[in-house]
Amino acid sequence: MTSPPLVGLPTDSKPIGSHPFLVVGEKYVRAAVDGAGVMPLILPMLQPPLPLQPWLSQLHGLLLTGATSNIEPGRYGDESSWPGNPHDPARDANVLDGLIPQALALGMPILAICRGFQEVNVAFGGSLHQKLHQVPGLSDHREDPQAPLEVQYGPAHAVHLSAGGLLAGIAGADTVRVNSVHGQGVARLGTGLEVEARAADGLIEAFRGPACSFLLGVQWHPEWRVRDDPFNLGIFQAFGEACRRYQTHKRN
């Protein structure tokens, strides 16, 4: 019996009490198992970074998760960060300088969500709006932090799916409703990335990468209760199939 593909998930730095911890949201791990049918492998994001080759030689995909931190703006421009903006330099260094470029060089499937979506955009030379709600013409895409999680992660707005795109094929429609739990977003799309979805205000909500490999980034959170939403489940299933193809290719 073939073992399920191994998929790496990066950790986030988080203080708990007086000690630093490396954590991964359970919802991402659960979606990898229940949605994609893969075996998650947690990758510790240390500073200085650990060597990546031992990981990447065993992996069959990357799931770049969301996080409470934001990419340091010096990574994509000369704009200063705003006071209180949470950063995670160790994750920036590991993911932007190592995991993404090396996984792409190997043709490894990547599914990127929220912060991960923004990381891929920056890795391809794109830039971000630090505060979407202050950009003229753009909506406030943040959740209500006082609302129950079911409301925060419930459908918030529609996105228009690009005709002939991967997501349109999964949805079998040209629009879907998604949740909206982010304060930052794409300002300039990275070179070579193709738009898969936009919100009504024009904000890019999803993109795909080069056709030679599976690279899909989404700004919303498809991992939330993944089995309850056929469209979001379809995203993880497509990622899982890409990982299995990569696994078979490596084996042969």
Side-chain angles (χ1 to χ4, degrees):
M1 183 176 178
T2 303
S3 299
L6 291 175
V7 169
L9 286 73
T11 58
D12 304 309
S13 301
K14 180 178 178 62
I16 302 178
S18 57
H19 295 278
F21 280 73
L22 297 176
V23 301
V24 177
E26 182 180 339
K27 59 182 179 167
Y28 298 104
V29 178
R30 177 59 59 191
V33 175
D34 293 344
V38 301
M39 180 64 68
L41 182 65
I42 309 305
L43 310 179
M45 303 288 95
L46 296 175
Q47 188 69 292
L50 295 172
L52 294 179
Q53 196 280 331
W55 290 341
L56 293 174
S57 64
Q58 301 299 318
L59 293 179
H60 307 110
L62 281 181
L63 175 55
L64 300 178
T65 63
T68 56
S69 64
N70 294 314
I71 302 168
E72 290 186 297
R75 288 278 183 171
Y76 53 83
D78 56 6
E79 184 180 355
S80 298
S81 183
W82 46 271
N85 191 3
H87 294 305
D88 189 342
R91 175 155 170 170
D92 286 352
N94 279 268
V95 174
L96 293 172
D97 299 336
L99 275 179
I100 291 176
Q102 293 189 39
L104 288 171
L106 292 170
M108 183 178 294
I110 299 174
L111 175 59
I113 296 171
C114 199
R115 189 195 209 272
F117 164 87
Q118 295 170 11
E119 287 168 338
V120 171
N121 186 56
V122 170
F124 275 76
S127 65
L128 305 174
H129 293 299
Q130 289 197 62
K131 291 186 176 183
L132 288 173
H133 60 285
Q134 294 183 356
V135 179
L138 294 183
S139 302
D140 189 343
H141 288 253
R142 298 173 297 177
E143 75 284 9
D144 177 359
Q146 305 304 317
L149 283 179
E150 290 77 10
V151 176
Q152 292 185 38
Y153 284 87
H157 63 75
V159 294
H160 178 76
L161 307 179
S162 299
L166 173 61
L167 292 180
I170 292 172
D174 56 8
T175 60
V176 293
R177 290 187 63 81
V178 300
N179 52 41
S180 191
V181 192
H182 61 103
Q184 300 197 310
V186 170
R188 181 182 68 254
L189 187 63
T191 304
L193 299 175
E194 297 184 49
V195 176
E196 278 278 327
R198 289 184 185 269
D201 60 4
L203 183 71
I204 296 172
E205 289 271 347
F207 55 65
R208 68 180 183 272
C212 61
S213 178
F214 183 99
L215 172 59
L216 177 65
V218 298
Q219 182 63 83
W220 65 89
H221 286 266
E223 82 286 351
W224 176 254
R225 296 182 176 174
V226 67
R227 298 200 67 85
D228 294 342
D229 186 293
F231 173 61
N232 288 330
L233 177 60
I235 290 173
F236 272 89
Q237 289 175 332
F239 174 58
E241 285 303 312
C243 293
R244 280 180 277 278
R245 290 194 299 271
Y246 183 83
Q247 181 185 37
T248 300
H249 175 75
K250 282 188 65 176
R251 190 185 303 118
N252 295 337

